[in-house]
Amino acid sequence: MSPSESWLRGSVVYQLYPLSFSDGNADGYGDLEGIFQRLDHIASLGIDALWLSPFYPSPLKDFGYDVSDHRAVDSRMGTLETFDRLLAEIHRRGLKLIVDLVCGHTSDNHPWFAESRRSKQADRADWYVWADPASDGTAPNNWLSVFGGPAWTWDPRRRQYYLHHFLSAQPALNLRNPAVVAELLGTARFWLERGVDGFRLDAVDFLMHDPQLRANPPLGPGPSGFPAKPFGLQQHIHDMAHADTAGLLGKLRAVTDEYGGRVLLGELSSQPGAGRRIDRYTGQGGLHSAYTLDLPKQPFGARTLYSALMAAGTGAATCWSFSNHDVERAASRWKPLGADPRRFAALLALLFCCLPGTLCLYQGEELGLPQAELDLDDLRDPFGMAFWPVFPGRDGCRTPMPWIGGARHGGFTDAGKPWLPVPDLHRALAADRQEMDLGSTLNVWRRCLALRRQLPDLRQGGLSEVDEEGEVLALARGGRLVAVFNLSNAPADYVLPPGRYTPVETPLPAGTAEMAADGGGVTLTLPPLGALLAIRES
């Protein structure tokens, strides 16, 4: 199955971060039963599949991405039986389910690591990346952790350092060891046998590194001086994105293909060259689709989106994500100064639904939730606590979903206190308050997603043209559909090529584009944060 044949192409995937979605057992944490109770909301959006972030046993030092058992359900989340019942209900509704497969590291509480660190002669001694110290006792090389500090931690039992690209509690697996790879392939089969429709592969760029452990060259401070995160002071040419990554992905793809119609969606970092890596990783026998964290970390504007679309080519293998559990919510991060939040959320919804390839919608995005601003005492993310206040971490995009505006904790939980607070601003945007308002962000998202399903050029058409002029972005999809967006908070003009254009009704708030034909083309006058969708007649 090539990227063009995958069911992912043109699909919309809804990302569920289970700890924050809905609490079904009143312990303050979201769980599988809570998701089961909210499936009507998810299905009403008109999406095609769900991506379920980790629900595996974990000490929650990295809130699910530090896995201590890949083939079980965390007791706070439910049981395997709960998972099976949830999967059956998802399938009954005609939706598909992708689950996270965390291949690059485990929790330091994992039994594999407990055995590996015991001694150099243990059965799983080389299941993780161990190295002797330098001659002066320091780390084997200069590699840095994304979360700050060295990427190596000394273990006195083995008298060696172990590698961790993230927290020291997340030791890196040795994916050059055939036994480790076989165990991970077995885990993939375990979940495929249960009926999942594919996997989202975490942190693909960090799966393989230079086996010689060569040091990274320095990058040095930029025009603004030293970055808040030291990770940005190196050229990451040896510690990540190694050429052998494609071979590992091929092994995972071969297993996935055994089950027919199952897919692999990969997460790529924001390091330079992400577009080229998507091409490489989604080649023959690799991932079906991949997204990069690069776009959400760029400033909002026509030039940014133009560059991203040009790098994606036809876009068939690219998955687009404006927000997720690792970045500030787009409703805050990208909103132009002085823009109306509701109007901006509507523009983002329409723009998102006009992109080629696969789309990944993060929970709460359909409500237009802004980034939550938390006090230091409320933070749980070790990344944020380490870099406070310059970088407050990821908790602000992970706060619980608000379901009932008038309920304590927004209806997320009946517990005395949720694991993260629910801001008052989010309760004002709760799902129940938006349901009956036809112009709400929630209902705009529903109509935009319906428009994507109704127009074949939007769902399956390639990206035939892309243009930018000032803060106007123009796309041609499938040859006939034209979409023009004014990404600024001021009126803007744009000239379309000569021809006859039939506008398509969109759910944007009042203030539509005006069209005026002359000999040189068709001039559009777009209102602030306005857009035009039109069919060009042949």
Side-chain angles (χ1 to χ4, degrees), residues 411-424:
F412 164 74
T413 182
D414 292 330
K417 184 178 181 180
W419 78 285
L420 285 173
V422 181
D424 290 343

Side-chain angles (χ1 to χ4, degrees), residues 329-375:
R329 287 187 176 275
S332 297
R333 168 176 25 95
W334 277 349
K335 186 174 76 69
L337 184 66
D340 177 73
R342 189 153 147 170
R343 186 174 184 87
F344 181 61
L347 178 75
L348 282 184
L350 185 61
L351 172 62
F352 192 67
C353 291
C354 288
L355 297 177
T358 304
L359 306 183
C360 190
L361 175 67
Y362 179 50
Q363 66 182 47
E365 211 165 356
E366 76 273 24
L367 303 179
L369 296 185
Q371 183 79 353
E373 296 184 6
L374 304 181
D375 294 332

Side-chain angles (χ1 to χ4, degrees), residues 51-71:
W51 155 27
L52 185 58
S53 291
F55 52 89
Y56 313 113
S58 166
L60 297 187
K61 292 182 180 178
D62 193 28
F63 297 97
Y65 285 92
D66 48 328
V67 179
S68 57
D69 186 344
H70 290 78
R71 303 188 191 185

Side-chain angles (χ1 to χ4, degrees), residues 479-524:
R480 295 185 64 218
L481 184 70
V482 176
V484 185
F485 301 91
N486 176 12
L487 305 184
S488 74
N489 199 31
D493 292 336
Y494 183 77
V495 179
L496 289 169
R500 181 182 174 189
Y501 297 87
T502 303
V504 176
E505 184 178 355
T506 72
L508 259 62
T512 57
E514 297 180 3
M515 304 174 63
D518 57 44
V522 177
T523 299
L524 300 180

Side-chain angles (χ1 to χ4, degrees), residues 243-538:
D244 290 347
T245 302
L248 176 64
L249 296 177
K251 293 181 174 68
L252 286 164
R253 173 65 177 270
V255 168
T256 305
D257 284 350
E258 292 173 13
Y259 291 81
R262 316 298 174 90
V263 298
L264 295 177
L265 171 64
E267 176 205 38
L268 275 60
S269 73
S270 58
Q271 290 298 303
R276 294 190 299 274
R277 295 199 303 281
I278 287 179
D279 288 342
R280 186 163 74 243
Y281 295 157
T282 59
Q284 187 66 31
L287 300 172
H288 294 92
S289 183
Y291 71 91
T292 169
L293 297 178
D294 180 56
L295 177 60
K297 294 183 178 182
Q298 299 300 320
F300 183 69
R303 170 53 57 175
T304 292
L305 288 157
Y306 173 83
S307 298
L309 287 161
M310 291 297 289
T314 62
T318 299
C319 176
W320 300 97
S321 172
F322 285 175
S323 297
N324 66 27
H325 65 289
D326 281 332
V327 295
E328 182 182 349
R329 287 187 176 275
S332 297
R333 168 176 25 95
W334 277 349
K335 186 174 76 69
L337 184 66
D340 177 73
R342 189 153 147 170
R343 186 174 184 87
F344 181 61
L347 178 75
L348 282 184
L350 185 61
L351 172 62
F352 192 67
C353 291
C354 288
L355 297 177
T358 304
L359 306 183
C360 190
L361 175 67
Y362 179 50
Q363 66 182 47
E365 211 165 356
E366 76 273 24
L367 303 179
L369 296 185
Q371 183 79 353
E373 296 184 6
L374 304 181
D375 294 332
L376 177 59
D377 290 344
D378 290 325
L379 295 190
R380 304 290 299 274
D381 180 13
F383 197 7
M385 289 187 283
F387 288 96
W388 177 275
V390 177
F391 172 67
R394 301 163 296 176
D395 290 324
C397 63
R398 298 177 176 186
T399 53
M401 280 281 286
W403 297 104
I404 305 170
R408 188 185 185 196
H409 309 312
F412 164 74
T413 182
D414 292 330
K417 184 178 181 180
W419 78 285
L420 285 173
V422 181
D424 290 343
L425 181 57
H426 284 196
R427 290 197 295 115
L429 296 170
D432 71 324
R433 294 185 171 176
Q434 296 200 34
E435 278 291 348
M436 304 309 294
D437 178 0
L438 293 180
S440 70
T441 299
L442 173 59
N443 283 311
V444 166
W445 267 102
R446 286 171 173 156
R447 295 200 294 279
C448 287
L449 290 166
L451 195 63
R452 184 177 175 88
R453 295 194 305 274
Q454 293 161 9
L455 298 175
D457 279 349
L458 280 187
R459 188 174 176 89
Q460 298 292 339
L463 182 66
S464 50
E465 293 180 48
V466 57
D467 186 30
E468 55 93 17
E469 183 177 304
E471 284 304 321
V472 174
L473 179 74
L475 315 176
R477 297 289 315 281
R480 295 185 64 218
L481 184 70
V482 176
V484 185
F485 301 91
N486 176 12
L487 305 184
S488 74
N489 199 31
D493 292 336
Y494 183 77
V495 179
L496 289 169
R500 181 182 174 189
Y501 297 87
T502 303
V504 176
E505 184 178 355
T506 72
L508 259 62
T512 57
E514 297 180 3
M515 304 174 63
D518 57 44
V522 177
T523 299
L524 300 180
T525 299
L526 295 156
L529 302 178
L532 173 82
L533 262 64
I535 304 295
R536 183 177 182 181
E537 307 297 336
S538 57

